[in-house]
Amino acid sequence: MALKLYGGARSRASIVQWYLEELGVPYQFVLLDMQSGEHLQPEYLKINPVGKVPAIVDGDFQLWESGAILVYLAQKYGNAGKSPEEQATLIQWVLFANATFGPGIFIESNRDRELARLMKPLNQIFTTHPFLLGQEFTVADVAVGSMLAYSQMMLKLDLSEYPAVVEYIQRIGDRPAFQKTIGPRAQ
């Protein structure tokens, strides 16, 4: 049985979908009609009692919360690192994307205070290597890269002060799996 990914038309499910495409993991996308409340129906609430998307069902295993799903997929299907330290570093970036970067950029009252504080170190990282952790694309890039891409798609932020970040967004945006999943939203 293929992994099932549950999501809405405009939800963080596309981030998980991007990573599944990067990994080449077969999956079935189950599009829930959020407008009609399909995510609040008893059948879906058995998968995620909070009624949010995304969620996955992988065999008998159910999981929700985009960051947790990304970490799980990296551990089961991807390269989650061999040592506890490598694994923790990947998890750190996934949590950073959801708990620090997202609220810092997407909550308008935080943006003026947080933008430079978040972008300067990212810009420095991308001046020294193409991906967050070096030469290799990882789940950290899916988590942080998706937030950076969405910041451009939704907020149209001027990131010209951070040219390495702009180049990174372009680099990840050119990836075939990104183009298949998140890319169409940019049109």
Side-chain angles (χ1 to χ4, degrees):
M1 177 167 76
L3 181 145
K4 287 186 179 180
L5 168 61
Y6 294 82
R10 293 199 162 276
S11 71
R12 287 187 182 205
S14 61
I15 299 168
V16 174
Q17 193 175 23
W18 173 24
Y19 193 45
L20 286 166
E21 291 290 334
E22 290 282 354
L23 294 170
V25 173
Y27 66 95
Q28 174 189 353
F29 184 71
V30 180
L31 180 63
L32 298 177
D33 183 347
M34 308 294 278
Q35 297 296 81
S36 72
E38 216 173 346
H39 60 297
L40 301 174
Q41 298 304 309
E43 183 179 318
Y44 183 70
L45 291 175
K46 290 178 187 170
I47 297 167
N48 181 353
V50 178
K52 298 275 191 170
V53 295
I56 61 166
V57 175
D58 190 10
D60 293 332
F61 181 65
Q62 300 176 358
L63 188 65
W64 45 276
E65 206 44 61
S66 63
I69 295 168
L70 290 177
V71 170
Y72 166 76
L73 294 173
Q75 291 173 335
K76 183 167 182 180
Y77 301 104
N79 181 2
K82 294 173 179 55
S83 71
E85 293 82 3
E86 290 172 326
Q87 292 173 23
T89 300
L90 288 170
I91 293 167
Q92 165 191 272
W93 283 108
V94 171
L95 294 175
F96 166 80
N98 287 350
T100 302
F101 189 85
I105 299 300
F106 290 97
I107 296 175
E108 190 174 356
S109 60
N110 294 340
R111 195 173 307 132
D112 286 342
R113 180 181 69 246
E114 296 292 318
L115 184 65
R117 191 169 74 86
L118 297 170
M119 291 298 179
K120 284 179 183 176
L122 288 173
N123 197 68
Q124 182 58 42
I125 288 168
F126 299 132
T127 60
T128 60
H129 38 78
F131 300 108
L132 278 167
L133 302 178
Q135 299 301 313
E136 185 181 342
F137 180 87
T138 68
V139 69
D141 295 293
V142 172
V144 174
S146 61
M147 291 294 169
L148 284 166
Y150 283 138
S151 78
Q152 293 307 100
M153 289 179 214
M154 297 173 176
L155 305 175
K156 310 284 190 224
L157 297 178
D158 177 10
L159 299 181
S160 58
E161 285 184 59
Y162 315 103
V165 170
V166 172
E167 290 172 13
Y168 172 78
I169 294 169
Q170 182 64 49
R171 189 167 37 259
I172 62 163
D174 289 342
R175 296 179 70 83
F178 182 95
Q179 283 299 312
K180 185 175 181 180
T181 55
I182 294 176
R185 291 179 170 202
Q187 272 70 10

